[in-house]
Amino acid sequence: MEIQRAIIRLKTANTPAIVLTPENEVGTALVIHGYGGSKEEQLGLAFRIAETGLKTFVIDLRGHGENALEFDEAVLSDVQSIVSYCRSFGGKVIAIGHSLGGRLALISNADAAIGISPAICETFGGQTRKKLEELRHYRVNERSSVTLEKMLSAFPQPVFPKTHKKFVLFGSRDIPEIVDSCRQLDTDKAFEIKNALHSDIFTLDTTVSIIVRLIDSLYNKKHETLGS
């Protein structure tokens, strides 16, 4: 497998990325970190995804990691443009994201999407706001710590039509607002990971095994979960 650093140069933004290219490609994956995260945090998951045969792009969202642009609502346009860029490599594109990245994946124009602990809630309680400001805000280049909630409220909610391949994974010990919103989904495409926390769910073998099985079903027709 080839692993290299890259800059995805598009009209909306120049996005730092790490690209994992397997020997035999069957499609493309885009991996998106959460608020206050970075591409480096998702490399373990990305490697497992690339092992399934997908050329895998792990990116830094604007305002995060090596991406010098200020974090704002244009982050969604960036993701949409990168999905289109991924299509140039042929095959289906699956977007896989954690937290904010999960929300972006689920509302993107990818052929399939997996939201890991996706921030599909429109607001957070006081305790969660405090944790975000204390533990994540310092890692983001943004004007205000309330930028995230304003964006979540403005972004469209993900929909789960039977014809589209969208899935949600969340932890039983996840952020309370995320647990509540995921449990209320009117879909059979949500997987609750026992004892998983928001901060570790994307590192757990249970989570990765489900993701690999979903990918196999989409690209290799080994399982029936994703349908045709």
Side-chain angles (χ1 to χ4, degrees), residues 151-197:
M151 288 168 50
L152 293 180
S153 180
F155 285 165
Q157 279 291 328
V159 293
F160 297 84
K162 293 182 179 180
T163 56
H164 200 96
K165 313 301 188 294
K166 294 183 180 180
F167 303 88
V168 167
L169 286 71
F170 66 100
S172 63
R173 299 168 63 197
D174 219 310
I175 292 173
E177 295 87 346
I178 288 178
V179 173
D180 290 343
S181 57
C182 287
R183 285 178 175 168
Q184 292 173 18
L185 288 175
D186 183 19
T187 176
D188 59 355
K189 298 179 180 179
F191 301 83
E192 184 168 348
I193 311 299
K194 186 177 180 181
N195 292 324
L197 298 165

Side-chain angles (χ1 to χ4, degrees), residues 57-77:
F57 293 81
V58 198
I59 63 170
D60 277 332
L61 295 173
R62 59 173 58 212
H64 293 75
E66 296 180 298
N67 195 324
L69 295 174
E70 186 175 272
F71 180 61
D72 58 26
E73 65 278 357
V75 69
L76 177 57
S77 297

Side-chain angles (χ1 to χ4, degrees), residues 10-143:
L10 301 169
K11 291 182 179 180
T12 54
N14 292 333
T15 302
I18 295 176
V19 188
L20 299 86
T21 305
E23 290 186 11
N24 300 306
E25 300 175 33
V26 298
T28 310
L30 171 62
V31 178
I32 313 168
H33 63 76
Y35 177 78
S38 68
K39 61 186 182 303
E40 284 76 16
E41 288 182 351
Q42 303 297 324
L43 279 178
L45 173 61
F47 190 87
R48 294 285 296 274
I49 293 168
E51 285 184 318
T52 68
L54 302 186
K55 187 179 184 74
T56 303
F57 293 81
V58 198
I59 63 170
D60 277 332
L61 295 173
R62 59 173 58 212
H64 293 75
E66 296 180 298
N67 195 324
L69 295 174
E70 186 175 272
F71 180 61
D72 58 26
E73 65 278 357
V75 69
L76 177 57
S77 297
D78 293 344
V79 168
Q80 301 285 45
S81 295
I82 294 170
V83 168
S84 298
Y85 170 79
C86 288
R87 284 206 173 92
S88 67
F89 295 91
K92 297 177 182 177
V93 178
I94 182 169
I96 302 171
H98 173 248
S99 196
L100 168 64
R103 174 75 171 269
L104 293 170
L106 291 169
I107 62 177
S108 75
N109 55 352
D111 300 294
I114 299 174
I116 307 169
S117 298
I120 56 178
C121 48
E122 293 188 358
T123 187
F124 294 113
Q127 186 174 1
T128 300
R129 289 194 190 100
K130 183 178 180 181
K131 287 183 177 180
L132 286 170
E133 185 155 2
E134 291 178 351
L135 302 178
R136 310 301 286 181
H137 172 59
Y138 78 96
R139 301 177 67 182
V140 184
N141 173 22
E142 60 182 337
R143 295 184 183 181

